[in-house]
Amino acid sequence: MVEGLSHITFIVRDLDRMETILTTVLDARKVYDSGADTFSLSRERFFLVGQRTNAVWIAIMEGEPLPGRTYNHVAFKIPDTKYDDYLARVRALNIDLREGRSRVHGEGRSIYFHDHDNHLFELHTGTLAERLERYADGR
């Protein structure tokens, strides 16, 4: 039986640049840096995002960026009261902020941005329960 999410890995050209995004926007805490050692495919760093008991492990590894952009993405939950703060964090890094998709009232707000390696991130204020409840109401 699957117990839950283990980790998310992003292949990035520049570990330092991605570390800046993770620590500035997501308040990530770096817990490992391979330095010149490579236990896996290339140099790597590990981060924790979120509260300690529910933190998400993010690994970044050096490599070639994605060839293009898609809507495939990872979404992180943020409180609605902090929406403007997170939007300012993304804007301060001058990374590619993407217009959010059209939404119906009650399903939460989102901030989308691409990193320098074509990964799409979402910062979302809603929950699955809220979305399902809203969708059950119809348009």
Side-chain angles (χ1 to χ4, degrees):
M1 176 193 302
V2 173
E3 296 176 355
L5 179 66
S6 172
H7 64 280
I8 302 166
T9 300
F10 297 102
I11 306 301
V12 300
R13 185 174 304 184
D14 184 326
L15 294 172
D16 292 332
R17 189 167 56 184
M18 182 58 146
E19 180 174 333
T20 298
I21 291 172
L22 294 175
T23 58
T24 302
V25 176
L26 302 179
D27 294 321
R29 300 173 309 282
K30 182 166 54 172
V31 296
Y32 174 76
D33 186 332
S34 71
D37 294 331
T38 55
F39 292 99
S40 190
L41 303 175
S42 62
R43 293 184 332 134
E44 62 189 343
R45 295 178 188 167
F46 300 158
F47 300 84
L48 293 175
V49 173
Q51 300 300 319
R52 299 213 183 268
T53 55
N54 295 319
V56 176
W57 167 18
I58 295 180
I60 60 174
M61 298 179 72
E62 220 170 30
E64 288 304 308
L66 295 171
R69 293 180 172 183
T70 72
Y71 190 66
N72 290 332
H73 64 280
V74 172
F76 292 90
K77 173 76 171 75
I78 61 170
D80 190 69
T81 57
K82 297 289 187 179
Y83 181 91
D84 292 331
D85 174 53
Y86 280 94
L87 184 58
R89 293 179 190 199
V90 172
R91 286 188 171 142
L93 290 178
N94 200 28
I95 49 182
D96 192 9
L97 189 60
R98 178 179 174 185
E99 177 127 0
R101 68 173 178 79
S102 176
R103 296 194 180 273
V104 293
H105 178 72
E107 71 168 312
R109 299 188 291 167
S110 291
I111 301 166
Y112 292 94
F113 63 93
H114 281 98
D115 70 5
H116 305 283
D117 299 285
N118 294 322
H119 302 109
L120 180 60
F121 292 84
E122 177 184 6
L123 304 176
H124 186 66
T125 64
T127 66
L128 174 60
E130 291 167 342
R131 184 171 292 191
L132 292 174
E133 182 179 330
R134 173 58 186 94
Y135 284 12
D137 290 341
R139 287 213 169 259

